[in-house]
Structures are given as C-alpha cells and as structure tokens.
Amino acid sequence: MANILDIRRRIRSVINTRQITRAMKMISAARLRRAQERALAARPYAQMLTNVLKSLVSRADTYDQETGEPLHPLLVRRSEQNVLLIVVTGDKGLAGAFNANILKAATRFLDSKRGKNVEILAVGRKGRDFLRRRFRTAEPRTVEAGTTETGTTENRKADGTSESQVTLVGEHVGVLNKIDYSLASEISENVIKRYTHAEIDSVYLVYNEFKSVISQRIVVEQILPVEHIGAPEIAQASEMELKDKQRAIEAAKGAGVSLRPADTTEIDKAAAQFATAPVDYIYEQSPRQLFRSLLPKYVATQIFHALLESVAAEHAARMTAMESATTNAGDMIDSLTLSMNRVRQAKITREIIEIVSGAAAQQ
Amino acid sequence: MPDSFQLEIVTPEKLVVRDNAEEAQIPGANGYIGVLPGHAPLITELGAGEISYRSGGQLHRYATAWGFAEVLPDRVTVLAETVEPAEQIDVSRAQQSLTKAEDALKSAQTEEEVSNDLADVRRAQARIEVAENKNRSA
C-alpha cells in the first residue's frame, strides 16, 4: 500500500491542476462572451448586405433573358472538377473534441468528393497540423509571419487530369485570437480570383456554427457558386450530442454565460429595413453594376461570419472541457483523500495492535 | 420639414456611428453627394473618400475605402468596408502606401492588376486628403 506521504503529494498536485483548469475555464468564459459580442456586432452589416442583394436580384437581371447565362461570374455553375475546401479549426488544443470533430467532418466531406481534385485552405494551427500530416502540401509562398497565401498551384490543363488528389494549398495560422475583417476579405479575394479564372469550380467552408452554447453544429457550407442569397447551401451538418449539450449547460452555468442566443430582433428589424423601403429609389449606378460590386463582399461577409462563429465555438468548447477537467480533478481529490485516510487509519490500527500484543507478551 | 436625420455608419465589424445629423457628405462612386434632411430616396455605391457629417454644429469626418449607402428623407445608412476617423489617420503611413501603390501601378501588366493598383492608389490618396483636411474650419 502506498504511504501517506506519496498520496499527500499526489493530492497536492491534483489540487494544482484543478486550479489551472478552473482558471482556464474562467478565461475561456470571458473570451467566449467577447467573441459572442463581436459576432453580434457583425450582424447588422451582414444583414443589410444580404438585404440589398436580395432586393437588387428582383430589380436587376442576374441571368441573361435569352440565353439563361448568369450575368455574374460568381453565379456561374460548372461541373465540379476542382474543389476548394476551407477548413476552420482552432489554433490551440485543450478544447475537448472541438478540432477533432471539425476534422472528422472535413474528412467525411473529402470522402464524398473522391475522384475530384480537392484543394484545402487551412485556417487554424490544429487543422493545419493534421492536414499537413495527411495530405500533400503545395509549395507554400510565405507572405507574412504566420500567413501563407493560397498560391495558384500548378495551372491544370483545361481537359483536367482524371486522378483525384487532395492538396493543402494554403494556411492561416495564429490569426484567430485577433480576428478582423481584413483576413476574411483577403481569403475571399483570393478565392474569388481563382473562381473567376475557373481554376476552381466550387468552394466549401467547414466550420463549427455557433448560435449559443447549447445550439451548435458543424456544417459544410457552399460558398461558391452563390446559389441563394441569404440562405447558404448546407452540404453537410452534424448536430451536438445530448451528452455534450448537458455538459455545456453545466459549464455555462458555472461560468455565468448565458445559454440563450443573444436577442437580435431589434438589430435584425432595423437591418431588414435597409434598402427595402417601399419607395422608388434613385439608383446612382445601375442595379446590375451594384450587384456586381456587392456580390464579392457578400462572399467575404460569409467567411468573416464563419470565422467569428468558429472562434466563439472554440472558446465554448474549451470552457466545457475545462469544466469537466475541474470536476474530474475534484473527484480525484476526494478519492485520494479517502484512500489516504484509510492508509492512515490502517497504520494507527496496526500500531495499536503492536502495542497491545507487545504488552500482552510481557505478562 | 425635419431639421435633422438619423445617420448610421456600419462596418463588417460593428456599428461605428449612430447620430443625428443636420447634413452629410458621402463619397459616391460617381462623385460626392451632399445630403440634407428630406433628401429623395437614393441608393449608391461609395468610392474611396471622405464621409463627413455635421451634428449639433460639430463636424465629424471619416475616411472610407469602399462602401454602399442608402439615403431616405429621414435616415441615411452607410455600409462601409473600412472607416477611419480623420484624427486617427497616420499620414506618413498613408504616404508610404501611396508610394508603394504608385510603384505597383507602374509595373502592372494585366488589366486586373491595373484596376487593383489603381484602387490602392485612390484609397491612399483619399486617406491623405482626409487627414490633411482635419484642421479645415468647421
């Protein structure tokens, strides 16, 4: 049986661990709150942009009347040969199954695109590391510290090679803790350029969607071609499991994070009025020209939105994981304390027996 | 006729301004547009330039690169990709990026490159202009 000193040492170490996990949980909760606020602050712009586009679609012909050809390159649908997948994970671990779940969804998506050329753009260190181990990496062109631009990989011939392959073509690492719109717009400009040059035929985004702590799912969203404005095409989705949901509820309660999605009705109402007043607008530019310049911004907004939600989800996942770790440490301390007491009691009993039997032997 | 209208400036990241303004000037893609209360409904794209408005006699000025605006008789909403208050513009940095953009423009080959670089030049010029005008009498 272990001696008391050893057990006591272990208890002390577990107490220290619990202190750390508890602190990490509180930090994650604070960051989650901030991330939620940012996601909320980003809503009006996205809403308004969507609105204008929607109302423009009804005024401007987006498709040629005679030929039925789309009038904007981002609406053009081609047969899917070259696919770009943007994988948004976290930069750091210790967030439970957060990164693993996203990568699982990404892998499943890749399976469904077997036979096509898939290029991957990784956002977040964890996903990058995993994908780099699994797939071929295109010659990266480092642009700035921690950022690599999606290089135009070897220009494929128009007839296309039939063998399928998956290539990691770019990465954005270490950018998630200070995320801003310029990152999203950089990614989207790149993607749009390659799409209009027909280097890629479709663009998907896999990320963890975040409505609230208990309403999350991992989705694969189709970014290009743009199908329906305001209603992104979901190619694949997996909901949260009940067990995870319960753990998330407990963690959120302990950290004082609201479970309900923030109330956005007021913002949404105001945004919904944008550019849709029942009046005859003077259009400074033709609706068609407006549509042309707005559509790329819509793509950027969608990517920005995904990044913001992913960051919030990552903090929520870490908060939940750390809550579990803290609880587990508590349980461990209890059971170690119990066995320590047992050992101590056993030792005392043994000593008494020794004294008593020693005294008895004297008689 | 009301003597002011509500002005909102929204960026992808947040709502930057919500104020009552007596007049505003926005950099429409085809030229500056002055807005007074009761303006006819209008929708326009914005180019690089200066958004300014007067609220309570005080003049507020921002630099913007690209945007979109809706004008209604009692409300003006500006969607801008970036806005920067005039006081916060770093002129020397803007000057640098202007030089860089001009150099890039000289060596631009394709039509696409030219239009991209040209946009960069305009953006840098707009920022410098806004910054240098900051002491303009209100």
Side-chain angles (χ1 to χ4, degrees):
Chain A
M1 205 163 223
N3 69 49
I4 298 175
L5 213 63
D6 281 346
I7 300 180
R8 194 167 279 159
R9 212 174 277 150
R10 276 197 66 192
I11 292 178
R12 215 177 300 139
S13 125
V14 177
I15 288 176
N16 283 339
T17 310
R18 182 172 66 175
Q19 206 123 46
I20 293 168
T21 57
R22 191 178 281 156
M24 280 182 77
K25 180 187 124 192
M26 296 322 284
I27 292 169
S28 296
R31 292 207 173 132
L32 168 63
R33 247 172 268 139
R34 214 176 316 142
Q36 271 178 308
E37 276 164 25
R38 296 203 59 187
L40 203 61
R43 262 181 93 99
Y45 184 91
Q47 274 282 342
M48 288 177 186
L49 199 65
T50 310
N51 257 327
V52 188
L53 276 170
K54 270 196 199 154
S55 81
L56 282 173
V57 167
S58 60
R59 278 160 228 252
D61 296 326
T62 48
Y63 290 90
D64 195 305
Q65 294 286 349
E66 282 156 30
T67 58
E69 289 286 305
L71 288 176
H72 194 285
L74 298 185
L75 296 172
V76 177
R77 234 168 296 171
R78 289 185 287 265
S79 82
E80 208 172 52
Q81 260 319 309
N82 301 311
V83 180
L84 178 72
L85 177 67
I86 305 174
V87 182
V88 187
T89 57
D91 273 330
K92 288 181 193 145
L94 288 181
F98 175 77
N99 293 309
N101 283 342
I102 295 170
L103 293 169
K104 222 188 288 166
T107 314
R108 211 170 334 128
F109 177 79
L110 291 177
D111 285 343
S112 75
K113 295 291 171 201
R114 191 160 289 172
K116 292 164 187 166
N117 290 314
V118 183
E119 297 178 2
I120 301 182
L121 172 65
V123 181
R125 181 169 284 118
K126 283 284 158 184
R128 194 271 315 258
D129 291 350
F130 171 86
L131 295 163
R132 194 152 64 177
R133 275 197 299 274
R134 290 234 356 209
F135 303 113
R136 206 162 63 81
T137 311
E139 236 8 79
R141 294 189 319 198
T142 307
V143 180
E144 280 165 54
T147 310
T148 317
E149 197 178 278
T150 322
T152 43
T153 45
E154 67 271 38
N155 272 326
R156 290 192 189 76
K157 293 192 184 80
D159 52 33
T161 42
S162 59
E163 69 180 292
S164 94
Q165 50 184 3
V166 178
T167 326
L168 187 62
V169 292
E171 59 184 55
H172 294 269
V173 166
V175 288
L176 292 171
N177 54 352
K178 47 171 174 28
I179 206 156
D180 59 6
Y181 182 72
S182 59
L183 172 65
S185 96
E186 185 192 321
I187 294 176
S188 84
E189 267 168 35
N190 221 309
V191 165
I192 288 170
K193 199 165 89 196
R194 302 194 57 206
Y195 189 84
T196 35
H197 289 174
E199 284 172 40
I200 43 179
D201 306 315
S202 61
V203 179
Y204 294 87
L205 189 62
V206 51
Y207 71 103
N208 192 328
E209 200 180 66
F210 185 90
K211 295 266 171 295
S212 74
V213 176
I214 49 168
S215 161
Q216 303 182 39
R217 55 184 190 160
I218 292 168
V219 293
V220 181
E221 229 174 68
Q222 182 184 328
I223 300 287
L224 288 173
V226 177
E227 302 265 358
H228 303 286
I229 286 156
E233 202 75 7
I234 305 287
Q236 178 184 312
S238 50
E239 301 284 337
M240 238 176 148
E241 278 174 35
L242 191 65
K243 186 182 70 190
D244 295 334
K245 227 176 231 186
Q246 272 156 355
R247 281 174 43 205
I249 293 174
E250 257 160 53
K253 268 189 197 148
V257 171
S258 157
L259 288 178
R260 263 172 303 149
D263 187 17
T264 56
T265 39
E266 200 179 314
I267 304 172
D268 291 349
K269 219 166 71 195
Q273 290 172 1
F274 183 76
T276 50
V279 291
D280 275 328
Y281 286 103
I282 304 166
Y283 283 93
E284 276 280 297
Q285 292 81 21
S286 73
R288 191 170 145 196
Q289 193 193 334
L290 286 176
F291 188 76
R292 288 189 77 87
S293 51
L294 280 170
L295 202 55
K297 308 294 173 188
Y298 175 69
V299 175
T301 323
Q302 264 185 306
I303 294 174
F304 186 53
H305 169 82
L307 293 176
L308 287 176
E309 292 214 352
S310 171
V311 169
E314 185 192 345
H315 291 311
R318 184 163 299 119
M319 181 182 83
T320 310
M322 288 303 121
E323 161 78 16
S324 307
T326 310
T327 319
N328 288 347
D331 292 347
M332 199 158 177
I333 291 166
D334 286 348
S335 84
L336 280 174
T337 314
L338 189 67
S339 58
M340 183 185 78
N341 287 342
R342 263 199 205 122
V343 172
R344 195 183 58 202
Q345 196 58 55
K347 193 178 158 209
I348 293 166
T349 313
R350 200 174 60 234
E351 279 169 5
I352 291 175
I353 290 171
E354 275 166 14
I355 293 166
V356 171
S357 47
Q362 293 282 317
Q363 285 174 0
Chain B
M1 183 72 72
D3 54 2
S4 73
F5 54 89
Q6 193 190 39
L7 176 79
E8 280 186 21
I9 301 178
V10 189
T11 67
E13 290 177 16
K14 59 175 192 278
L15 180 70
V16 182
V17 172
R18 176 180 275 165
D19 211 342
N20 273 316
E22 293 100 50
E23 60 168 301
Q25 263 205 2
I26 51 179
N30 308 343
Y32 276 86
I33 299 170
V35 182
L36 292 169
H39 196 285
L42 174 119
I43 283 182
T44 181
E45 193 182 343
L46 302 184
E50 172 187 318
I51 303 172
S52 61
Y53 70 94
R54 199 182 295 275
S55 168
Q58 178 92 32
L59 189 68
H60 301 263
R61 293 143 38 70
Y62 294 86
T64 185
W66 180 90
F68 189 80
E70 179 203 31
V71 178
L72 286 174
D74 59 346
R75 186 155 51 93
V76 173
T77 315
V78 177
L79 294 190
E81 196 152 61
T82 57
V83 292
E84 234 177 328
E87 307 82 53
Q88 280 173 25
I89 296 172
D90 183 342
V91 184
S92 64
R93 251 194 57 208
Q95 201 77 51
Q96 268 171 27
S97 51
L98 176 62
T99 327
K100 220 174 97 190
E102 278 171 344
D103 287 346
L105 182 60
K106 274 175 210 148
S107 60
Q109 303 285 333
T110 63
E111 204 173 307
E112 201 178 321
E113 275 173 27
V114 171
S115 75
N116 276 345
D117 293 338
L118 208 57
D120 285 345
V121 171
R122 289 222 185 94
R123 207 169 312 151
Q125 280 171 340
R127 292 180 70 215
I128 294 169
E129 256 166 56
V130 174
E132 285 176 347
N133 275 343
K134 71 181 152 203
N135 299 320
R136 201 175 65 178
S137 57

